[in-house]
Amino acid sequence: QPQLVESGGGLVQPGGSLRLSCAASGFPADYYVIGWFRQGPGFERGWVSCISSSGDNTKYADSVKGRFTISRDNAKDTVYLQMNSLKSEDTADYYCAAGSYLAGCYSEETYYYWGQGTQVTVSS
């Protein structure tokens, strides 16, 4: 059974950092593009970042570019999202997803499997 499990969320002060993890199981995750999405209070879910199956190519939403870094360890079937210089507007539930289309990785429609999410709250 394909499964993605996010972890690492929590409460952090503005300017702080968090590292989210997305652990995959039940499918060959190293063949898949992995994306991160988020849904803040009162907002629709939106794309944050994605990484190619090899890890050589990454993409970021403008709102997080320069602050967030996506990476993966295929030996551990895990993808990470390092989030620095966090702002209150980064408060959201963060989801990872597995798909196959890097060029369209900003679209939820290109993903097959989704995790249940981890909550990130940025507040003083």
Side-chain angles (χ1 to χ4, degrees), residues 42-56:
F43 291 90
E44 293 186 354
R45 190 160 60 185
W47 172 69
V48 174
S49 180
C50 65
I51 188 167
S52 63
S53 56
S54 67
D56 291 343

Side-chain angles (χ1 to χ4, degrees), residues 3-25:
Q3 189 173 26
L4 294 167
V5 179
E6 302 93 338
S7 61
L11 174 64
V12 63
Q13 293 186 341
S17 298
L18 280 176
R19 189 178 79 157
L20 305 184
S21 298
C22 170
S25 62

Side-chain angles (χ1 to χ4, degrees), residues 4-7 36-37 93-96 114-119:
L4 294 167
V5 179
E6 302 93 338
S7 61
W36 284 97
F37 290 75
D93 292 325
Y94 283 72
Y95 302 86
C96 65
W114 289 82
Q116 294 300 305
T118 186
Q119 188 173 61

Side-chain angles (χ1 to χ4, degrees), residues 50-113:
C50 65
I51 188 167
S52 63
S53 56
S54 67
D56 291 343
N57 291 293
T58 58
K59 298 178 184 288
Y60 299 93
D62 287 343
S63 58
V64 306
K65 199 172 294 183
R67 299 188 298 122
F68 290 12
T69 302
I70 191 170
S71 62
R72 67 190 299 161
D73 183 343
N74 283 342
K76 296 182 178 180
D77 287 335
T78 300
V79 173
Y80 305 98
L81 187 68
Q82 178 67 44
M83 305 187 297
N84 299 329
S85 303
L86 282 162
K87 307 174 181 180
S88 58
E89 51 262 45
D90 295 317
T91 295
D93 292 325
Y94 283 72
Y95 302 86
C96 65
S100 61
Y101 187 38
L102 182 65
C105 72
Y106 52 86
S107 172
E108 293 190 24
E109 296 179 356
T110 65
Y111 292 90
Y112 306 119
Y113 311 125

